[in-house]
Each structure stands twice: as structure tokens, then as C-alpha cells.
Amino acid sequence: MDFSVKKLASDAGVFFSRAVQFTEEKLGQAEKTELDAHYENLLARADSTKNWTEKILHQTEVLLQPNPSARVEEFLYEKLDRKMPARTTNAELLAQYMMEAANEFGPGTPYGQTLLRVGETEKRLGGAEREFIHASSINFLTPLRSFLEGDWKSISKERRLLQNRRLDLDSCKAKLKKAKAAEALPDFQETRPRNYVLSASASALWSDEVDKAEYELRVAQTEFDRQAEVTRLLLEGISSTHVNHLRCLHEFVEAQAAYYVQCYQHMLDLQKQLSRFSGAPVVNVDSTSPLPLSAAEVSSSAPASSSSLCTSDVTPPVSGTRKARALYDYEAADSSELALLADELIMVYSLPGMDPDWLIGERGNQKGKVPVTYLELLS
């Protein structure tokens, strides 16, 4: 118990000395030991690394998960050291809605079939996004977070210790300076009351104080130098941190590039599928009014029939043949189809049992299937 009280009193004295030294430095009444320029550069570089790492980490998390509530939930699961349940991506949720809508509208209808195809692609996009988020979290976010929660905490702890050692050192310097100044007074005894009895001469007393202050200064200087070296080694390790983060950044770029390549390939495959299938409403070819179309309803690539048809054996009906104008260029997918040029005129007709989204078109001796979404039927 006595030991604890003495230790507490000693710690309180050290804390008080540091507080006095810190206050006097702020007021400009005490000298401060300055670190060399190289050390200051290391400190500035470390602070800059920490600040930018925090910003990059936060913004990457926003990129991977824009929903702030979801990010908070992930943070809580991580702190509680519990496994995060699988989260459905936005693309996967959209795919689910599209597929459910297709089943309700009828998967055999043009709209329903297109919803199914687009839904399947959105599901693949969601899977690719999930893989990208997982790879980025492991290869990029985890190293950045480890630096902030590990290396940087160690650096901050050693810097605080260095600051305390520096305050102790400057306090000892101030104490030694005061002791030498008091020792140099010409007549110490005259400053005391007449009935004051000294057990030794005043000069001897202050000499002991000076020796004690010099000893404390040497101890403080040794501890400061040792702590400065430890802190310097940690600060110089920031260079290794930069190398590690550079490698992680390359891995993040690779994961992001692979993700976008997958997305592009999935959308390209979807575009090719839609070029062989028309999602436009069923058109009555006997109608005398032109087919109303908008740019959003027309695919940028060419649709084709789901069943094969040998157009060379088709004989045009005696009645029902009509003239039509091509609204857009159309590239035939195979020999059973007829290529179109925008604004050209052709003759078209339908056959019994034929897909209502397709017509037979004739241009001179050429004959083939053409999608009705690319035609304006004329009288």
C-alpha cells in the first residue's frame, strides 16, 4: 500500500511537471527542444499518409456500398466479429422482379420472354458485382484498414511517449537552469532569516541541487533519445506501407477491370440475344395504319425468328401482299432473313401459322424474313 501511494505521488509529480512545462511553452516562457528537419518530414509524411488513407478507404467503401445504412450494418457485424449474412445486390433484386413479372405476364409473350432474358443478365451482373466487392474488400480495403487500426495506432502511441519524454527533458533543463542560477547568487545566507540555521553551507546545498538536476537531465536525455529512435524507425516504416498499398492498389484495379469486362460481355450477349428476338407488341398486318414506333421500342440490333423457315420455297399469297418502307437498317442474321436499308420499299406478306412479329419480304428476286418492328406498312 505504501508503495502504491509513493508511486501515485511520483506519477502525480511527473504529470504536474509536464503540465507546467507544456503551459509555459504555450505562453512562450520556456524553451522547447526542437526535432531535426528529417524527423519533422517523417512526421508530416506519416500524418499525410494517415489522412489520405482514411479518405481513400471511406470513399472506396462508398463506391462498393453506396447505402450508408448497409455500411453501418457491415461495420457492426465486423466489430462484433460475426459473419455478415449474404446481401442481395441491386442488380440481383432487379432480376428477381423482372423474372416474377415475366411469369405473371406470360413467359411465352414477347414482353415476358424479353423480361426473362434481361432478368437473367441482370442476375449475372449482380453476381459479377458481388465478386468484385468481395475481391476489393479482401485485397484493398482490408490492408488499408489494417494500417489504420494496427501500424498507425502503434505510431501514435510512440509519438505520445516521445512527447512526454520531450516534456520531461525540457523540464529537467529548466530545473537545472534554475539551480545554476540560484547557485550563482552572491550571498545566499543574507536572504534567510537571522534565526535560520543551515546544516551545511548554502553553496554546498545548491551544489547538490545542481548535481541532482544534472543527473536527472542525463537520465531524461537518454530516455528521450531512446524513444526518438523507436519512433523514428516506425515513421521510416511508412515507406514500406506505401509499397504495400501500391500493390493493393494494383490488385484493386485488376478486380475493377475484370468486373467491367464481365459486365460488358454480359450486356453484349444480351444484345445479341435481343437481336434475335423482338420485344415489340404483336402487330396486325391487315391494318392500313402505319406501325407506331418510338426510338425506345426499337432495338439497336436486328431481331430474328425463333423457328427456321426456308423462304426459297415460299409462294406469296394471291391476296394480302402489301408495300412496306424500312424504318431502319437491318442486317440479316442468316440466309433465311432479308437485309434492309433505311427508307427502301419492299413487298411483304404473312403466312398462316407464322410468328406475328415477322413477315416475308421480297425485293426483286431476293426473299426472306423481316421483323415488323423495322417496317412501316403502306397501303
Side-chain angles (χ1 to χ4, degrees), residues 149-263:
E149 297 178 356
D151 295 348
W152 181 253
K153 286 187 176 181
S154 298
I155 292 175
S156 300
K157 177 183 176 182
E158 297 302 329
R159 287 177 67 176
R160 287 193 298 269
L161 289 176
L162 179 64
Q163 173 71 356
N164 291 336
R165 295 291 181 265
R166 203 268 309 160
L167 290 173
D168 293 341
L169 175 63
D170 289 336
S171 178
C172 290
K173 288 181 179 179
K175 186 183 298 184
L176 177 61
K177 185 177 180 181
K178 292 178 182 178
K180 287 185 176 180
E183 184 185 28
L185 290 176
D187 191 358
F188 174 76
Q189 291 182 348
E190 292 182 359
T191 63
R192 298 291 184 175
R194 294 181 179 276
N195 58 355
Y196 185 81
V197 180
L198 295 175
S199 60
S201 65
S203 59
L205 286 174
W206 283 108
S207 178
D208 292 342
E209 289 294 327
V210 170
D211 292 341
K212 180 180 178 182
E214 288 178 344
Y215 172 76
E216 292 177 351
L217 177 60
R218 287 194 298 271
V219 173
Q221 184 70 56
T222 301
E223 292 180 352
F224 172 78
D225 292 341
R226 182 186 300 112
Q227 186 59 39
E229 180 65 17
V230 171
T231 308
R232 182 185 64 80
L233 292 175
L234 289 177
L235 293 174
E236 289 178 347
I238 292 293
S239 298
S240 300
T241 299
H242 285 187
V243 173
N244 183 39
H245 288 183
L246 175 62
R247 177 183 57 82
C248 296
L249 183 60
H250 279 284
E251 293 180 357
F252 173 71
V253 172
E254 291 295 331
Q256 196 170 29
Y259 167 62
Y260 286 124
V261 167
Q262 290 182 52
C263 291

Side-chain angles (χ1 to χ4, degrees), residues 311-314 335 338 346 349 361-368:
T311 56
S312 60
D313 299 331
V314 173
S335 59
L338 180 66
I346 61 172
Y349 54 89
E362 288 187 355
R363 183 198 307 113
N365 296 329
Q366 297 179 338
K367 184 186 304 182

Side-chain angles (χ1 to χ4, degrees), residues 73 83-89 92 130:
E73 183 180 358
K83 184 178 180 181
M84 178 74 182
R87 185 187 299 278
T88 303
T89 64
E92 291 173 329
R130 187 189 302 278

Side-chain angles (χ1 to χ4, degrees), residues 106-128:
T109 64
Y111 184 40
Q113 191 170 357
T114 302
L115 280 173
L116 282 176
R117 293 173 185 265
V118 177
E120 291 172 355
T121 300
E122 292 295 335
K123 187 175 181 180
R124 296 190 187 97
L125 293 176

Side-chain angles (χ1 to χ4, degrees), residues 6-27:
K6 289 182 178 180
K7 185 177 186 300
L8 181 62
S10 176
D11 292 342
V14 172
F15 176 79
F16 180 75
S17 298
R18 291 172 180 172
V20 171
Q21 178 65 26
F22 181 80
T23 303
E24 290 180 349
E25 289 176 358
K26 291 299 182 182
L27 297 176

